[in-house]
Amino acid sequence: MPAYILRRILMLFPTLLGVSIIVFLMLHITPGDPAELMLGERSTEAAIQEIREHLGLNKPLYVQYGLFIGRLLQGDLGETIMTRQKVWIEVKERFPATIELTFAAMLISCFFGVIFGIVSAIRQHSIFDYLSMIGALIGVSMPIFWLGLVLMLIFSLFLGWLPMSGRLTIGVDLDVKTQFYILDAMLTGNWLAFRDALWHLTLPAITLSSIPMAIVARMTRSSMLDVLRQDYIKTAKAKGLSEFKVVIKHALRNALIPVVTTIGLQFGILLGGAILTETIFAWPGVGKWMFDAVMKRDYAVIQGGTLFIAATFIIINLIVDVLYAVINPRISVK
Amino acid sequence: MLPGMKSNPMPNNTPVKNPEDRHPFIDQVEQLWRNKTAVAGFFIVLLFILTALLAPILSPHSAVEASLYDQLKPPVWYETGTWKHILGTDDLGRDILSRLLYGARVSLMVAVFSVGVAFCVGSLLGALAGYYKGYQDSLIMRSMDILLAFPHILLAIVMVAYLGPSLRNAMLAIGIIYIPRYARIVRASVLEECEKDYVTASRAIGAKNLRIIFVTIFPNCLGPLIVQTTLGFASAILDAAALSFLGLGAQPPTPEWGAMIAEGRSMALRAWWVMTMPGLSILVAVLGFNLFGDGLRDVLDPRLRD
């Protein structure tokens, strides 16, 4: 096992290197002068010259890449045009909001996805099975930005039950420590803010969870069906165990092994989907920040944000792979 | 007809019900026909393609011409609705139905182009990696891993941000992010096929490498590829709509479904239909490709069943 984990960690480096090369080259596939692009249209000749010097844009490409990596290792992702702040500081400010949203979406999709999957498998060919599988198919076929807008139209505009945008109603006091509003509210015992933050989180989280929920439900169902056909399940039933015990104690553990991998893969969908969801609900996370940067052509932010999200995704995948090896010992033997 | 099926019937289809020597393709079509959801998917896909092709004939109005007297007319089932604009009009008085019909055209074009790019480049890379193995394999597949290291759609958004927003760049970006899927599938199939006797035989009679790859082996890898292509159409339509919604894909006044949702957003309270109809169109088209693709997978590629 340790050897497997070590090998998996070593494999990180070539991937990270490749990602950094792609992000670096992106600035150079753009038509036009990178220095001018980075500073925007209304930049002075002197400022352009300065950034050229700073980024080494007049040097050969491989030297530029070396400089880029050097700055990266010092945690220097450049400055934004929008606020003239360090990109790294802005990422750190916004990342908790994105984590809160993706985590909530993950929780919703795993919980309901697994339950729907199990019940559909046990009651295969029942009305419940058909309805939930049709629901799952619709879930993966629906554009999430449209789902978000429709939910917003119904629950915020027509019914007025849930807030439309942001993380907290203006005027609600919250002592922000960790930047995770739900957690902050709980820690300080501020239940008014807790409720408010939770209400704000509901619609974006449901929107973002739709696709992963559908995928997890389908995966759980088919994996459960496979396991339920196995001989040891027949044995467990034959010795008189209740159906509930057979499913929960005997079948579920094995059935969930492939589901864990599926769940890990969903993080990519979630992090990508966060850009759309955050934009619609004005959720102040990394996704909305990057979208704003794309609109304002703030290339330092796009570059930094892309690197940051890709690195997060790679590390999450590593954790999922290791977890997978822990629950399924067969994998490390190979 | 699915080429190559004759020389290599899929292993899981081997129980031959009919002792006559029937072509496996007929069995596969019959199997597909028995799957009701796949048939439903097939008809939705057919409807979508016909709509796209016949849009100029079917559309009652122009998709791009504004008509200032017809702003925000409701659909026909409203008291104030008229048969002139069955699904109502948008804020510029353009007929929603006509825009949706032309939108099918844009979506079909995007899907064909981006999946086409991914299919060609991905299959080529995958076939080379699977056939030559060794360092070519490592090099190609590690680059694919790097593309996969970016969360889905993020890479497309960023690429378009650099290349400049336009439908062409959006299609290109989506095509590029789909390459790894095809490369992986083809590589796996080629690796499997390479071990078989017919490849050895072909080599023994002196066929050149490229001929073996593309003429001998490749047709036998088509099953899983056809499945992936059908499902790829579904995700390409979704992703193109997302890019256009963000303003990075089709530019106004192009009647693209995602862009139409973005345009209808600001008037959602006054005129819900402007935003809702294009969303439903995307849903139906994507659902069709997904249903049909799932059915095809059951028939052509039993290994991939989830």
Side-chain angles (χ1 to χ4, degrees):
Chain A
M1 178 72 81
Y4 169 76
I5 295 176
L6 191 71
R7 206 176 61 217
R8 194 60 190 70
I9 290 175
L10 284 179
M11 270 164 63
L12 267 186
F13 293 102
T15 316
L16 282 173
L17 196 72
V19 166
S20 70
I21 291 176
I22 290 189
V23 172
F24 166 75
L25 283 181
M26 278 195 165
L27 199 59
H28 294 271
I29 60 166
T30 324
D33 179 5
E36 236 177 278
L37 279 171
M38 296 202 76
L39 287 174
E41 276 163 18
R42 273 172 288 170
S43 50
T44 61
E45 194 52 45
I48 291 179
Q49 206 50 50
E50 197 191 306
I51 196 122
R52 253 188 216 134
E53 289 288 311
H54 178 66
L55 297 176
L57 286 173
N58 33 19
K59 302 200 173 75
L61 214 54
Y62 64 92
V63 179
Q64 286 186 43
Y65 177 70
L67 291 169
F68 173 73
I69 288 289
R71 285 195 305 274
L72 216 59
L73 291 177
Q74 291 164 17
D76 179 11
L77 291 171
E79 271 179 12
T80 75
I81 301 172
M82 295 190 279
T83 54
R84 294 271 166 217
Q85 236 187 347
K86 289 274 178 215
V87 169
W88 176 238
I89 293 172
E90 295 222 335
V91 173
K92 270 199 296 194
E93 269 172 19
R94 284 169 174 80
F95 194 48
T98 301
I99 296 191
E100 195 174 72
L101 176 61
T102 36
F103 191 72
M106 201 41 138
L107 220 58
I108 295 173
S109 52
C110 288
F111 183 77
F112 289 103
V114 168
I115 286 185
F116 276 72
I118 293 174
V119 179
S120 298
I122 302 172
R123 303 267 173 270
Q124 199 190 358
H125 301 308
S126 68
I127 293 287
F128 182 88
D129 182 24
Y130 284 125
L131 285 183
S132 54
M133 284 308 112
I134 291 171
L137 257 170
I138 292 179
V140 291
S141 306
M142 199 158 33
I144 65 162
F145 53 94
W146 181 71
L147 174 68
L149 290 173
V150 170
L151 289 177
M152 191 194 270
L153 186 66
I154 297 173
F155 291 101
S156 313
L157 292 171
F158 285 155
L159 297 171
W161 291 352
L162 291 164
M164 251 179 82
S165 59
R167 292 178 79 187
L168 216 53
T169 311
I170 298 164
V172 173
D173 275 337
L174 178 65
D175 194 9
V176 177
K177 281 188 190 119
T178 58
Q179 295 285 339
F180 299 104
Y181 285 6
I182 302 262
L183 199 68
D184 281 334
M186 267 164 41
L187 287 178
T188 51
N190 186 347
W191 299 112
L192 186 79
F194 177 76
R195 221 189 79 140
D196 193 63
L198 200 61
W199 274 179
H200 277 85
L201 183 60
T202 309
L203 282 186
I206 291 177
T207 304
L208 191 54
S209 73
S210 63
I211 293 179
M213 195 194 311
I215 296 174
V216 169
R218 289 177 74 172
M219 192 66 210
T220 310
R221 177 180 179 271
S222 64
S223 153
M224 198 71 186
L225 282 175
D226 274 353
V227 172
L228 287 176
R229 278 187 215 117
Q230 306 278 322
D231 285 338
Y232 74 95
I233 296 294
K234 280 184 199 140
T235 314
K237 276 185 185 158
K239 72 178 185 186
L241 287 184
S242 69
E243 195 184 357
F244 181 77
K245 262 199 173 155
V246 172
V247 170
I248 300 298
K249 281 198 148 177
H250 292 250
L252 193 58
R253 202 190 140 121
N254 278 322
L256 283 186
I257 291 174
V259 177
V260 172
T261 325
T262 314
I263 290 173
L265 292 173
Q266 302 316 307
F267 274 105
I269 295 181
L270 285 178
L271 287 172
I275 299 184
L276 290 160
T277 315
E278 287 181 3
T279 307
I280 294 165
F281 289 98
W283 188 264
V286 177
K288 175 161 192 315
W289 177 63
M290 278 195 65
F291 172 72
D292 292 341
V294 168
M295 289 294 113
K296 290 182 182 135
R297 307 188 144 249
D298 192 336
Y299 290 98
V301 171
I302 302 175
Q303 227 176 20
T306 312
L307 256 176
F308 185 77
I309 295 180
T312 312
F313 183 46
I314 292 170
I315 290 165
I316 291 173
N317 279 338
L318 171 75
I319 296 170
V320 172
D321 276 3
V322 171
L323 273 182
Y324 187 64
V326 171
I327 60 165
N328 187 10
R330 274 168 289 186
I331 191 130
S332 45
V333 179
K334 279 187 217 161
Chain B
M1 172 186 133
L2 306 178
M5 290 305 168
K6 202 175 193 171
S7 55
N8 176 36
M10 287 286 166
N12 290 26
N13 295 334
T14 35
V16 182
K17 285 165 206 144
N18 209 332
E20 299 166 37
D21 190 21
R22 286 214 297 185
H23 197 285
F25 178 66
I26 300 173
D27 289 335
Q28 285 167 339
V29 170
E30 269 184 9
Q31 206 184 333
L32 194 63
W33 188 252
R34 277 196 298 274
N35 184 343
K36 289 291 164 268
T37 49
V39 174
F42 172 75
F43 280 111
I44 296 177
V45 169
L46 195 68
L47 186 74
F48 170 70
I49 294 173
L50 284 179
T51 309
L53 294 178
L54 302 176
I57 301 170
L58 295 171
S59 304
H61 301 277
S62 156
V64 289
E65 258 172 54
S67 160
L68 292 176
Y69 292 107
D70 296 319
Q71 281 171 13
L72 295 180
K73 285 262 168 24
V76 66
W77 55 86
Y78 272 73
E79 268 179 33
T80 45
T82 57
W83 281 102
K84 192 180 164 203
H85 301 289
I86 298 175
L87 294 178
T89 59
D90 65 8
D91 55 334
L92 296 175
R94 294 174 298 194
D95 184 50
I96 302 274
L97 179 64
S98 309
R99 283 180 71 72
L100 289 181
L101 293 173
Y102 273 96
R105 227 166 211 230
V106 180
S107 285
L108 182 66
M109 183 182 75
V110 170
V112 169
F113 183 85
S114 47
V115 172
V117 168
F119 184 99
C120 295
V121 181
S123 310
L124 180 69
L125 292 176
L128 294 178
Y131 187 79
Y132 288 108
K133 306 184 182 72
Y135 77 94
Q136 289 100 329
D137 184 25
S138 309
L139 190 70
I140 292 173
M141 292 328 281
R142 289 299 79 73
S143 337
M144 294 297 107
D145 286 348
I146 290 163
L147 277 184
L148 287 170
F150 291 94
H152 186 73
I153 196 94
L154 170 78
L155 193 58
I157 290 176
V158 173
M159 257 189 272
V160 179
Y162 281 105
L163 292 172
S166 77
L167 192 60
R168 195 198 62 188
N169 289 343
M171 294 193 292
L172 197 64
I174 293 169
I176 291 174
I177 62 169
Y178 286 178
I179 290 174
R181 303 180 186 186
Y182 295 88
R184 285 189 157 189
I185 289 174
V186 174
R187 174 180 176 268
S189 314
V190 169
L191 276 178
E192 200 183 308
E193 295 296 320
C194 270
E195 303 300 317
K196 293 189 177 155
D197 287 341
Y198 76 93
V199 179
T200 321
S202 174
R203 202 172 285 142
I205 59 171
K208 298 219 167 54
N209 282 337
L210 285 180
R211 187 185 164 82
I212 297 179
I213 296 176
F214 293 106
V215 181
T216 315
I217 300 181
F218 190 68
N220 290 319
C221 308
L222 277 178
L225 263 180
I226 291 170
V227 175
Q228 185 60 48
T229 305
T230 314
L231 296 173
F233 271 63
S235 30
I237 294 175
L238 275 180
D239 290 339
L243 286 177
S244 295
F245 173 77
L246 292 175
L248 297 170
Q251 301 299 314
T254 313
E256 205 278 342
W257 291 339
M260 286 171 74
I261 295 176
E263 288 159 17
R265 204 182 152 183
S266 56
M267 56 203 108
L269 258 188
R270 280 180 299 153
W272 58 269
W273 55 89
V274 182
M275 183 192 91
T276 313
M277 300 302 174
L280 286 175
S281 310
I282 300 175
L283 174 59
V284 172
V286 173
L287 190 65
F289 280 106
N290 276 334
L291 287 173
F292 188 48
D294 280 354
L296 278 177
R297 168 159 54 198
D298 291 349
V299 178
L300 291 178
D301 191 19
R303 279 171 311 170
L304 274 178
R305 286 181 80 158
D306 59 12

